[in-house]
Amino acid sequence: MRNPLAGALLSVLALALTATGCGGSTQAAPGDGGGSKSAPSESSVANRVEPLAKRPEPRLPVTVRSADGERVTVKGAERIVPLSGSLSEIVFTLGLGDRVVARDVTATFEQAAKLPVVTRGHDVSAESVLSLKPDLVLAETTSGPEEAVDQIRAAGVPVLFVEAAGGLDDVGPRIRAVAGALGVPAAGKELTRRSEQRIEAARKDVPHGEKPRVAFLYLRGSASVYLIGGKDSGAGSLIEAAGAVDAGAASGLDKDFTAITSEALVKAAPDAILVMSKGLESVGGVDGLVKIPGVAQTPAGMDRRIVSVEDGVLLNYGPRTDQVLESVVAQLYGEDGAE
C-alpha cells in the first residue's frame, strides 16, 4: 500500500517546510537575475481555498471503503484530522473546514494557517493526533509510518485512506472519496464538477504549436537531494495538460525519480524546468539551480527558463489544480502566450 520513495519525498518536503516556514512563498531567492525568463514569475495560485457557496450538512453515519481495502464506518465528523495538505484542502473547499482541528505541515493555505501542526508528511505522530480526540482521520496511501496509523485505529478512531494523487484524473475520485466519508456526497459531486470545469477552461488557454520539453526537478539543497522526475513522478499529467512533453519520461526514465546527473539532463534536454518554490530557494534560486552539474548545458539552463509553483499545491491534484495549471502555462509561455 505504501510507496517508500513517495514517503521519503514527503518526509524531506516536510522537514524543508518546517525549517523554512509553512508560508509557501512564491518568490524566488534573491539574485535570480532579470529578464523575461531569468526567474520564475510570482505564482498566481491563491493562498486561500474557495469553499462551495452552500455549506453542506453531513448525513452520518456512513460506511465507506478505504483505499487500503478496509470498510470504515464514520459516525461523526466534528473533529477531523487530515494527514496531508491536499486532504485538508478538499475538506475546507467542501465547506467543512471549521471541523478540522489540526493540520499537516504541508497545509499552507490561509484558512488552515492557525491550526496546530501535528503531522509532517510521512512522519505521523499517533500521540499528537490522538491528543486532539478526533472522530475521523483522513490519510493518504503514502501516510505513515504504518505503526502510527495502526495505533490510531487501535484507539477506535476511524481512519480513511485515500489513494495518493498521481495526476489530473485523480482530482474527482479524491474529492468524492473524502466527501463520501464526510456524509456529503452531493457536495463532492458539485465540487468535482466545478474543479473539472475549471481545469478544462485552463486547458483552453494552452498555446498550440511545438511542444516544449519540461523536466520536473525535485530539489532540497539543505538535504543534498537533487532528483529528476521520470514516468511516475506525478508531474507528467500536469506537464502534458500544459501542452508540453515530460522530458524525464520521454528520455526513458522509468522510475518516479532518479538522481540528477549531467548525462540524464543532457539526454532529457528540457526547454524548461519545473520546480517547487521551496526547492528552488533551497539551492539559491535560479543562480544556484544553473550551477547544478548539467543544468547549464540544457536549453532550459541556457535560457534560465524556470517554472516555479508552491510546494504545498503543485502536485495536490485537488480543487486548486486549475490555478496550478494556469500558473504553469503563464510561466512556461509568457503572459502573452508566446514561447
Side-chain angles (χ1 to χ4, degrees):
M1 182 181 71
R2 311 288 199 269
N3 181 324
L5 180 54
L9 292 178
L10 281 171
S11 182
V12 172
L13 171 58
L15 289 172
L17 283 169
T18 302
T20 56
C22 300
S25 169
T26 61
Q27 298 294 336
D32 280 345
S36 60
K37 295 180 182 178
S38 295
S41 60
E42 183 172 344
S43 170
S44 61
V45 181
N47 193 38
R48 293 179 56 85
V49 299
E50 180 189 344
L52 293 174
K54 184 178 180 180
R55 186 179 187 278
E57 189 61 38
R59 303 184 69 174
L60 300 170
V62 296
T63 298
V64 293
R65 185 169 293 281
S66 176
D68 65 343
E70 298 289 331
R71 292 189 66 79
V72 176
T73 297
V74 181
K75 297 179 181 179
E78 297 292 334
R79 299 184 63 80
I80 306 167
V81 176
L83 298 183
S84 76
S86 178
L87 295 175
S88 289
E89 181 177 327
I90 293 173
V91 177
F92 273 84
T93 311
L94 284 168
L96 301 177
D98 59 334
R99 296 168 180 251
V100 177
V101 296
R103 68 182 175 96
D104 179 81
V105 71
T106 58
T108 59
F109 55 92
E110 185 177 311
Q111 291 101 319
K114 294 183 180 180
L115 291 171
V117 176
V118 297
T119 65
R120 287 174 169 78
H122 203 65
D123 186 19
V124 175
S125 168
E127 292 77 12
S128 295
V129 172
L130 291 173
S131 71
L132 293 164
K133 304 185 184 305
D135 50 21
L136 175 63
V137 170
L138 300 172
E140 305 274 357
T141 49
T142 52
S143 297
E146 288 190 59
E147 294 78 9
V149 178
D150 290 343
Q151 186 178 340
I152 294 170
R153 270 185 169 164
V157 179
V159 178
L160 178 84
F161 279 98
V162 179
E163 287 288 354
L168 286 169
D169 290 342
D170 296 322
V171 173
R174 283 169 58 82
I175 290 173
R176 291 193 296 271
V178 172
L182 296 178
V184 291
K189 292 179 181 178
E190 181 183 349
L191 181 55
T192 294
R193 182 168 56 252
R194 188 186 85 176
S195 300
E196 292 179 343
Q197 287 175 345
R198 290 181 176 182
I199 290 171
E200 190 57 35
R203 284 178 182 267
K204 293 180 180 179
D205 292 332
V206 176
H208 298 290
E210 187 174 352
K211 296 178 180 291
R213 295 171 64 87
V214 178
F216 174 45
L217 302 189
Y218 185 91
L219 310 169
R220 286 296 177 261
S222 57
S224 297
V225 175
Y226 308 98
L227 306 173
I228 179 171
K231 184 174 65 174
D232 298 318
S233 72
S237 174
L238 181 65
I239 290 171
E240 291 170 6
V245 174
D246 184 337
S251 68
L253 296 178
D254 293 328
K255 295 181 180 180
D256 39 13
F257 288 92
T258 302
I260 290 176
T261 63
S262 296
E263 293 77 14
L265 285 171
V266 169
K267 187 175 182 181
D271 300 303
I273 290 173
L274 172 65
V275 292
M276 295 179 178
S277 59
K278 290 293 182 184
L280 183 62
E281 290 175 11
S282 77
V283 298
V286 176
D287 287 341
L289 175 59
V290 296
K291 293 178 182 177
I292 295 174
V295 172
Q297 286 69 52
T298 65
M302 286 185 269
D303 289 344
R304 296 168 68 90
R305 192 175 180 188
I306 313 300
V307 177
S308 172
V309 179
E310 296 96 325
D311 305 49
V313 71
L314 176 59
L315 299 182
N316 271 5
Y317 292 113
R320 288 187 291 171
T321 295
D322 63 299
Q323 296 179 44
V324 174
L325 180 56
E326 289 172 353
S327 177
V328 170
V329 170
Q331 294 181 67
L332 183 59
Y333 302 101
E335 296 293 347
D336 59 357
E339 279 194 51

